[in-house]
């Protein structure tokens, strides 16, 4: 069914419309847009999803009733350079309801959220930069959303398509109290530490992960642990805690001196990382343990403890039973005190992340069409 047909269907049945603007055309953005026409069909009786804009860091295609099936061709042919003010002006003139789906990694785009909210937009984020802004900015955003009665869904910022934030929200809404959340939040570091067996230097596993596309362009960005630190902050804020990144103790997997300079500088000194990981691996193996780069947030007697570090865990511990690239979240609460709630599965990948974004979109549709 064409975009025009959807519009006619909406008019004939008087069902509401939702204008969708997608920011980000990388792997996840492309996968999201590829699935969009199926979502239009799925919700055709409840709401008419109208693709009303596609933007990336360089170009924008801003027009009503864009055809999702031909978005790549149309974007390449008709997309034009734009400024942030151009996007905001377009959104202000666009009839609501409307949602901006942020699939960028950009902090500068996240800092446009106040203007997007002022323009009347709901927000769905895969971009962690917005949900990990300094607490004062984050709380101001939340207040602005409440004032405008708009939604901000960000379930894919942690765990890709795994519904960890949704589960936390449901537990809290039902009266449970969470004492601790721990787990492995990085698919890259999950793969590295599940694969590493001491048979060759750890840096060679890093190089293999890079060649497979599992790492950032500079794998030291993964080894720094900062991405895991951001994800733990997201979950802390889901619990209503007013934390900033600096409140989360970070012990990088990579020695700090190896993070300085270019990739080639690191590669020439990689033996320092290799010898460190080998010693830790051998010690863990001797103690019948495995290495996991884990995050932990605990609330005990009003005291908050949050940290991200490399840990040696027992073979029968939940964090040990992990497949390469998987994430795992262990939730301990009043209801899950003796037997924690464990959520495990793929924590990265364009398919599962795009699916998680569509789940957030479905949640918004249910609220608007309800």
């Amino acid at each position: 069914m064409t975009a025009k047909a959807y519009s006619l269907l909406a008019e004939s049945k008087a069902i509401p419309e939702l204008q969708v603007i997608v920011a980000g055309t990388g792997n996840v953005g492309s996968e999201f847009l590829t699935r969009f026409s199926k979502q239009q069909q799925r919700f055709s009786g409840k709401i008419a999803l109208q693709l009303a804009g596609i933007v990336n860091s360089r170009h924008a295609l801003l027009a009503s009733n864009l055809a999702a099936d031909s978005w790549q061709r149309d974007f390449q042919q008709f997309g034009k350079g734009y400024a942030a003010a151009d996007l905001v002006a377009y959104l202000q003139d666009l009839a609501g309801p409307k949602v901006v789906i942020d699939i960028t990694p950009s902090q500068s785009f996240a800092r446009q959220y106040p203007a997007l909210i002022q323009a009347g937009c709901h927000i769905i984020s895969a971009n962690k930069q917005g949900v990990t802004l300094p607490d004062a900015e984050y709380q101001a955003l939340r207040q602005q959303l409440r004032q405008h009665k708009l939604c901000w869904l960000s379930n894919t910022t942690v765990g890709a398509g795994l519904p960890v934030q949704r589960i936390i929200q449901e537990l809290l809404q039902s009266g449970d109290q969470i004492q601790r959340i721990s787990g492995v939040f990085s698919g890259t570091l999950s793969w590295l530490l599940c694969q590493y067996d001491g048979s060759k230097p750890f840096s060679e596993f890093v190089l293999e992960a890079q060649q497979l596309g599992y790492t950032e362009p500079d794998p030291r960005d993964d080894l720094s642990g900062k991405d895991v630190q951001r994800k733990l902050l997201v979950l802390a804020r889901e619990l209503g805690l007013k934390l900033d990144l600096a409140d989360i103790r970070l012990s990088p997997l990579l020695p700090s001196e190896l993070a300085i300079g270019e990739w080639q500088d690191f590669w020439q000194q990689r033996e320092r990382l290799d010898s460190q990981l080998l010693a830790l691996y051998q010690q863990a193996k001797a103690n019948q343990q495995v290495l996991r780069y884990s995050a932990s947030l605990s609330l005990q007697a009003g005291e908050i403890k949050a940290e991200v570090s490399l840990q040696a865990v027992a073979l029968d511990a939940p964090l040990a039973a992990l497949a390469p690239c998987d994430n795992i979240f262990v939730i301990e609460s009043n209801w899950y005190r003796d037997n924690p709630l464990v959520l495990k599965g793929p924590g990265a990948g364009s398919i599962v992340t795009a699916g998680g974004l569509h789940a957030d979109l479905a949640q918004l549709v249910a609220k608007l069409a309800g």
Side-chain angles (χ1 to χ4, degrees), residues 79 197 214 221 315:
D197 58 2
Y214 293 158
D221 293 338
L315 295 176

Side-chain angles (χ1 to χ4, degrees), residues 162-175:
L162 297 174
V164 58
Q165 292 183 58
R166 198 164 288 124
I167 287 173
I168 290 171
Q169 293 161 5
E170 289 178 358
L171 289 176
L172 296 177
Q173 290 167 3
S174 59

Side-chain angles (χ1 to χ4, degrees), residues 89-221:
Y90 173 75
L91 293 172
Q92 287 175 335
D93 292 339
L94 190 65
K98 46 200 167 184
V99 58
V100 173
I101 302 181
D102 180 6
I103 319 177
T104 76
S106 169
Q107 187 176 92
S108 62
F109 192 87
R111 290 190 183 277
Q112 295 181 52
Y113 284 5
L116 303 184
I117 296 168
Q118 188 65 35
C121 297
H122 301 280
I123 299 173
I124 293 175
S125 301
N127 181 2
K128 288 184 285 293
Q129 298 292 342
V131 285
T132 58
L133 286 169
D135 186 63
E137 290 183 61
Y138 175 79
Q139 297 299 337
L141 277 175
R142 286 293 184 189
Q143 178 62 26
Q144 189 182 8
L145 287 159
R146 286 191 290 270
Q147 290 173 347
H148 288 78
K149 298 181 180 179
L150 295 169
C151 297
W152 183 12
L153 302 172
S154 58
N155 286 290
T156 55
T157 56
V158 182
L162 297 174
V164 58
Q165 292 183 58
R166 198 164 288 124
I167 287 173
I168 290 171
Q169 293 161 5
E170 289 178 358
L171 289 176
L172 296 177
Q173 290 167 3
S174 59
D176 199 1
Q177 292 184 323
I178 295 174
Q179 280 88 41
R180 188 168 187 264
I181 300 174
S182 60
V184 172
F185 300 172
S186 167
T188 302
L189 298 182
S190 167
W191 187 91
L192 284 170
L193 292 171
C194 286
Q195 296 291 87
Y196 181 58
D197 58 2
S199 62
K200 59 183 180 181
F202 184 76
S203 59
E204 293 190 24
F205 285 92
V206 173
L207 188 61
E208 183 180 351
Q210 184 186 40
Q211 292 168 343
L212 290 170
Y214 293 158
T215 72
E216 295 295 327
D218 186 337
R220 291 176 299 174
D221 293 338

Side-chain angles (χ1 to χ4, degrees), residues 43-70:
F43 294 119
S44 60
K46 298 179 181 178
I47 198 167
L49 296 179
Q50 304 287 6
L51 184 59
I54 303 171
V55 304
N56 61 23
S57 60
R58 300 173 302 280
H59 298 99
L61 177 58
L62 303 174
S64 60
N65 297 330
L66 295 173
D69 290 338
S70 60

Side-chain angles (χ1 to χ4, degrees), residues 161-312:
L162 297 174
V164 58
Q165 292 183 58
R166 198 164 288 124
I167 287 173
I168 290 171
Q169 293 161 5
E170 289 178 358
L171 289 176
L172 296 177
Q173 290 167 3
S174 59
D176 199 1
Q177 292 184 323
I178 295 174
Q179 280 88 41
R180 188 168 187 264
I181 300 174
S182 60
V184 172
F185 300 172
S186 167
T188 302
L189 298 182
S190 167
W191 187 91
L192 284 170
L193 292 171
C194 286
Q195 296 291 87
Y196 181 58
D197 58 2
S199 62
K200 59 183 180 181
F202 184 76
S203 59
E204 293 190 24
F205 285 92
V206 173
L207 188 61
E208 183 180 351
Q210 184 186 40
Q211 292 168 343
L212 290 170
Y214 293 158
T215 72
E216 295 295 327
D218 186 337
R220 291 176 299 174
D221 293 338
D222 298 292
L223 300 176
S224 72
K226 291 180 180 178
D227 183 61
V228 178
Q229 186 186 35
R230 290 190 189 95
K231 291 175 180 177
L232 188 60
L233 178 59
V234 173
L235 298 187
R237 288 178 170 174
E238 283 293 340
L239 296 179
L241 304 178
K242 294 186 176 182
L243 296 185
D244 277 315
L245 283 173
D247 299 315
I248 300 175
R249 182 181 176 186
L250 173 64
S251 298
L253 188 62
L254 182 72
S256 58
E257 60 272 18
L258 297 186
I260 302 171
E262 302 298 324
W263 171 253
Q264 289 304 321
D265 299 324
F266 158 76
W267 195 249
Q268 292 173 4
Q269 304 178 71
R270 64 188 183 279
E271 187 178 345
R272 299 173 69 178
L273 175 64
D274 293 337
S275 59
Q276 172 183 293
L277 262 294
L278 180 60
L280 292 169
Y281 171 79
Q282 290 175 335
Q283 182 180 357
K285 185 176 181 180
N287 293 331
Q288 296 188 318
Q289 296 174 315
V290 292
L291 297 177
R292 296 290 183 262
Y293 195 77
S294 66
S296 173
L297 172 69
S298 62
L299 304 166
Q300 297 294 336
E303 182 180 353
I304 302 170
K305 184 178 180 181
E307 61 180 334
V308 174
S309 63
L310 182 66
Q311 300 286 333

